[in-house]
Amino acid sequence: SDTNTLHVAILPSSGMGHLVPAVRLAASLAARNCRITFITTHPTVSLAESRLVSRLVSFFPNVTRQEFHLLPLDRSTANSNDPFCLQFETIRRSAHLLSPILSSCSPPLSALVTDPSLVSAVIPITEKLRLANYNLFIASPKMLSLLIYFPTIANTDLSTTSSKTTDYIEIPGIPPLPKSWLPPPLVDPSSLFRTQFIANGQEIVKSDGILVNAFDSLDKATVAALNGGKVMGRLPPVITVGPFVPLEFEKGSPVEWLDRQPVGSVVYVCFGNRTAASREQIRELGDGLERSGCRFLWVVKEKKVGEIVGHGFLERVKEKGLVVKSWVEQGEVLAHPAVGLFLSHCGWNSITEAALYGVPILGWPQGGDQKINGEVIPKSGLGIWVETWGWEEIVKGEEIGDKIREMMGDEKLKVQAARIGEEARKSVGVGGSSYKGLEGLVEKMRK
Ligand code: BUP
């Protein structure tokens, strides 16, 4: 009956990397008979984002979409050129408009689940409404410990020097973290991202629980340090609920080309929604793929792909490689038996999806949280990250090709990755740790 219905609102931030996990969480809760109000910001949601939310809503009758109209942002008071960071700020400064939306939900809400980039703006609202506030953390457990601890060290010297001992930051309970892994805007004292990060770090500790899209194979030690009070005392419970499983309704048109490739023969290459590569680096990557001699599916987020990689290249590799410039449903690609390696930018969703399907990763992190996320790849045994590969100095095709060939021939790595995939599926399966995490969450929200 209605009195027993648990009603939860979910407010993700902007960008696919934020929306995808929020949609998957919504689906997990909806499948457990919760009523979900899924709040989307307006204007700004991209077409891809809007389509995903529409699919969620049409798949689950107990999920409804609620539009949240944002106030225009005064750019002169927001020091950033990053459209995502500016969008976070727009949402943050409109947060007071959430109150009437949240309080008019029927049946009354039991909780709001929000995003780490919005937490400090939303906590005062939920406190006033006496509404439980949960955070869906969308990056790695290591990144979570950085967010929580950063306010304590924000005013220390974070720049990298030549002296080895000071090139690390010390977060209690976890191994030292190289300063060079920090998201670059955190080191710039005037950046908007840093201001938000500090505020969010200070406030996230006031939430009722933090959900992370992780499981034992993906940094159990850091989750234990967080929950054991080692990073900081009196933290909310950190609940592992991952890896989130791509949903049936996310499926687009399948890449049929994959069906014609032998098992484990294809390198899948994708650097996420926002990683920028120079034309020269894109060309070297193409050269590397060709030299590897392996089959490949390469997502190049550029309008003029042919012009960049060269029409000659496309002609030469057409038997072995498929270059696409549009969105592919990555979950479906990684689940495909033909895929044997993932060359990835180390977005957290990408890492967890590869883990779920037991696909080895060759990590090539760029900025943002990608290096701190990418640490789990060598640590878990899921793959490697060539630390000498940056994005400023061009990495030559020859080196890329050699690395790909070496990894594609590494039988031990395949076995390790497959084992991680089994553990991942066990975690989310009935009775697994993440399954229990979600069940416990629903119980807690009901109280
Ligand atoms: Br691109 C692309 N298809 O073609 P991350 C991405 N995705 O399904 P982010 C596709 O988007 P940053 C595509 O499966 C994942 O769930 C992918 O999230 C999906 O990286 C999501 O991996 C991308 O966290 O970059 O957000 O693009 O690290 O800069 O936040």
Side-chain angles (χ1 to χ4, degrees), residues 15-18 20-21 24 84 138 246 250 268 270-275 299 301 324-332 334 342 344-353 367-370 373:
M16 279 312 246
H18 295 255
V20 167
R24 292 176 184 165
F84 286 91
I138 52 155
E250 288 178 45
Y268 167 60
C270 181
F271 294 111
N273 294 289
R274 43 187 307 208
T275 301
V299 182
K301 290 261 167 305
V324 293
K325 58 182 174 186
S326 60
W327 180 264
V328 294
E329 207 285 286
Q330 183 167 294
E332 236 176 317
L334 290 169
F342 181 14
S344 168
H345 75 307
C346 305
W348 187 246
N349 295 296
S350 293
I351 293 174
T352 59
E353 287 158 6
D369 55 7
Q370 296 161 9
N373 291 339

Side-chain angles (χ1 to χ4, degrees), residues 266-345:
V266 175
V267 186
Y268 167 60
V269 185
C270 181
F271 294 111
N273 294 289
R274 43 187 307 208
T275 301
S278 67
R279 291 189 160 210
E280 193 185 350
Q281 186 60 78
I282 295 175
R283 274 192 291 271
E284 288 295 334
L285 176 54
D287 181 48
L289 289 168
E290 189 177 2
R291 282 170 186 268
S292 76
C294 300
R295 293 160 204 266
F296 61 86
L297 168 58
W298 183 15
V299 182
V300 190
K301 290 261 167 305
E302 297 280 347
K303 286 197 183 76
K304 297 178 178 159
V305 174
E307 207 174 274
I308 297 172
V309 298
H311 295 283
F313 170 84
L314 291 178
E315 188 55 34
R316 281 196 312 279
V317 301
K318 72 169 190 250
E319 298 294 320
K320 282 201 148 169
L322 182 65
V323 182
V324 293
K325 58 182 174 186
S326 60
W327 180 264
V328 294
E329 207 285 286
Q330 183 167 294
E332 236 176 317
V333 170
L334 290 169
H336 201 290
V339 174
L341 180 67
F342 181 14
L343 176 50
S344 168
H345 75 307

Side-chain angles (χ1 to χ4, degrees), residues 253-273:
S253 38
V255 183
E256 278 163 6
W257 175 84
L258 282 174
D259 298 340
R260 301 191 291 273
Q261 313 308 318
V263 171
S265 70
V266 175
V267 186
Y268 167 60
V269 185
C270 181
F271 294 111
N273 294 289

